[in-house]
Every structure is written in C-alpha cells, then in structure tokens.
Amino acid sequence: MFAKINFITLVLTLMTTLGATQDAEFALDVEFRNHLIYTQIPSAGGTLSFLANTTGGAFVAESAMQEHALPGIVDDSGNAFVAINEVLELGALPTLNRNSALVLPDEQTNLGKDVHGSLGQSWFGQYCWTFDFRSEELLCHSPALSPLEPNIVPVTFKESASGNRISSLPRIFIEVDGEQIPVLIDSGAKMLPSKAAASALGETGAEPVATSFIVESLFEQWHQLHPDWKMVEQADAELGNVRMIEVPQIVIAGQKAGPVWFCSRPDANYTQYYSRLAGGQVEGAIGGNALQFFRMTIDYPNKLARFDQ
C-alpha cells in the first residue's frame, strides 16, 4: 500500500510539473515594426511572419500556403483553410480552439510586404498575455491578474446570457479631454500614411504603421473644441478620405500618456458593426501608437488588463 501511494503521488507530481512547465510564461519570437507586432513562425519553407491582431481573425495569404507547403483543409462548401494549429505547434506556439485559418488571395490580406498571415482574437482569447512595447516582447501565459493590483481596468467581452464567451474583442475605457470613451484594444490597428501623414509622423510612408481610430463625430468634436490640435487631411495612402488628429494626452488606467494620433472612421464602423461584436458600445480603438507607452497585460480568462509605464 505504501509503495502504491508513493507511485500515485509521483505520477500526480509529474503531471503537475509538466502542466506548470507547459503553462509557464514564455516570450514569443516577434518583430516590432512601427509599433505593430509580427510573430515569427518556422515552417518547411522558411519563416512565416504573422500579424498579431487582437481584433482580427486568423487567415493566411494564398501565396504563403503554396510557398511554405502549409497543411490544407477544404470544407464541404469548397472553402480553403490552413490547419493552423499544426503550423503553430511546429514553432511551439499557443494554438487556437479551432484548427483552421482562412486562406485569402494576397490582394485581400492588406498585410504589407513579407507578412504571410494574421493571428487574431481567437488566438489571444484563451490566455493571459503581456505586450511589452518598451522591451519589444510578447509574452504568453503571464501570471493571472487580480482586481486588487494597481493600474488594473476591467475588460468586457461579448458573452451569452449564461456567461459563455461569444467573441474576444477586448473593450476598455480611455479618457480624452475629460471624457470617458469606450474603445477596443486593437494591436493590429494600422494605416499606410500618405505623404502628408508620413511627414507629420516622421515616417517614410513606405510601410504600414500602427495607429488608433475614433469615430468621425468625436473627431469633429475634438477638432472644433481644440483647433490647435494638429490635423492632417487625406492621411491614408490607401483610403484617401481619412483624417488624422493628434491628441496631446490620453488617460488609461489612471495613467497619462501621449501624444497619440487618431485616424477618423465612419461612426457606423464602431457604433454599429464593432459594437455588435464587442461587450458593449465602442467608439474607436487604441493601437500600438497609444500602447507604445505601456507594458500591457491582458488576462482574457479573468477579464482584466494592467497598464504599467
């Protein structure tokens, strides 16, 4: 009996140790470019670069699937997918609940040069992550957060009446000009700056850059109240009707940061479309150009976020 108990205890100990090792915090192989995060994944055809996008979906460019010989799936309707978890497991990366990423024609991906796909909300939504823009690190399995810690804000997600998660779009409040504004945390928010915008940003304009978004009605309100805030017309080289305004200061989790440029978006994009997918009304999104001032941890299971400066 004594020997049996010891054996069972040993097995349980090993299982616990293995589980703790598997869930230990680790840094992913990532590249930060213009405050956008690209995860590097080894493949049979070399290295894949995927945009880490907290509000997007999981998809792969058609050329990348062919050039890197990625494992494919075709559903009953003839839609092509990549067996994405097999790709992620090769790089010892976190996987998705659903083992599929849509294959898109290259011209529809809007990813930029040398980027092969995107990992979105379904990838992030299962774990606790730290986005360290200061040290340019992306960490998975970060320690769970407590609401009693400093610099903590609640994160809301769309849930069913029984509390089951429907989507993993992270929604928080920021403060601008004394007003609380509900926004998404959007690590994939980006724009291709026009010549005028690139000059204002101090960029070349050759590559996508991280940005933040705000609905046009609030954009116009800011502009009317603060005509001294810098503004650029025709700011996006791909979407010429986009305006860009520099907000001197935003407040997140009680901490001031800035300045932050916001690009205008039609009200319906957020007040109707994204608000239906998020855990409540949203009026914009904060991207890497706002998050660059923080070490941000999002604890998706516990619906909390911490912002450290």
Side-chain angles (χ1 to χ4, degrees):
M1 175 65 75
F2 183 77
K4 178 184 262 189
I5 292 174
N6 271 350
F7 174 74
I8 293 172
T9 302
L10 177 62
V11 170
L12 290 174
T13 301
L14 285 172
M15 289 173 65
T16 302
T17 302
L18 289 172
T21 301
Q22 185 179 13
D23 291 338
E25 183 179 60
F26 69 93
L28 281 70
D29 182 9
V30 294
E31 179 185 6
F32 280 64
R33 296 206 310 261
N34 301 320
H35 305 305
L36 293 166
I37 307 171
Y38 299 93
T39 304
Q40 309 301 303
I41 307 171
S43 75
T47 300
L48 292 162
S49 180
F50 277 38
L51 176 67
N53 185 0
T54 51
T55 66
F59 63 85
V60 178
E62 189 174 26
S63 62
M65 182 178 183
Q66 298 168 354
E67 294 169 8
H68 291 259
L70 302 180
I73 304 170
V74 179
D75 66 12
D76 295 338
S77 301
N79 298 311
F81 297 86
V82 167
I84 191 64
N85 284 345
E86 296 177 30
V87 178
L88 295 171
E89 286 169 353
L90 186 62
L93 295 175
T95 56
L96 285 71
N97 281 331
R98 182 181 177 186
N99 184 24
S100 60
L102 187 64
V103 178
L104 291 178
D106 288 29
E107 60 271 16
Q108 294 181 20
T109 61
N110 190 31
L111 289 172
K113 184 180 179 182
D114 300 324
V115 184
H116 305 100
S118 173
L119 293 169
Q121 57 165 316
S122 59
W123 186 55
F124 285 105
Q126 306 169 69
Y127 311 105
C128 183
W129 299 82
T130 294
F131 302 71
D132 194 334
F133 283 82
R134 299 172 306 180
S135 300
E136 297 194 342
E137 286 186 316
L138 177 63
L139 310 172
C140 186
H141 295 306
S142 295
L145 299 178
S146 164
L148 301 178
E149 298 176 42
N151 309 326
I152 294 283
V153 294
V155 182
T156 52
F157 301 103
K158 187 176 180 64
E159 298 177 338
S160 67
S162 59
N164 293 321
R165 183 80 58 84
I166 295 174
S167 72
S168 291
L169 296 176
R171 173 182 176 267
I172 65 168
F173 282 83
I174 65 170
E175 182 182 320
V176 175
D177 205 24
E179 181 178 358
Q180 294 291 315
I181 303 172
V183 296
L184 298 175
I185 299 174
D186 187 355
S187 66
K190 58 187 176 67
M191 64 176 295
L192 186 63
S194 65
K195 185 176 180 180
S199 176
L201 294 169
E203 302 285 351
T204 64
E207 287 190 342
V209 300
T211 192
S212 295
F213 297 124
I214 198 68
V215 294
E216 288 176 343
S217 57
L218 265 178
F219 186 104
E220 190 58 33
Q221 177 182 311
W222 291 347
H223 180 49
Q224 293 296 325
L225 291 174
H226 302 282
D228 55 315
W229 288 5
K230 297 177 185 176
M231 192 179 74
V232 177
E233 300 277 2
Q234 305 293 311
D236 194 307
E238 296 175 321
L239 303 171
N241 60 340
V242 172
R243 295 185 294 169
M244 191 171 74
I245 192 168
E246 186 184 50
V247 175
Q249 179 180 279
I250 66 173
V251 181
I252 306 178
Q255 299 173 97
K256 300 174 182 178
V260 178
W261 286 93
F262 283 81
C263 288
S264 65
R265 282 291 182 268
D267 282 36
N269 284 19
Y270 284 94
T271 60
Q272 295 181 32
Y273 177 74
Y274 276 116
S275 291
R276 287 200 302 266
L277 302 176
Q281 183 84 355
V282 290
E283 297 176 344
I286 52 168
N289 69 327
L291 300 173
Q292 65 171 308
F293 302 105
F294 300 96
R295 187 179 196 267
M296 173 183 70
T297 296
I298 307 180
D299 183 344
Y300 281 84
N302 290 311
K303 297 184 287 188
L304 296 169
R306 184 177 66 214
F307 292 83
D308 297 316
Q309 287 184 313

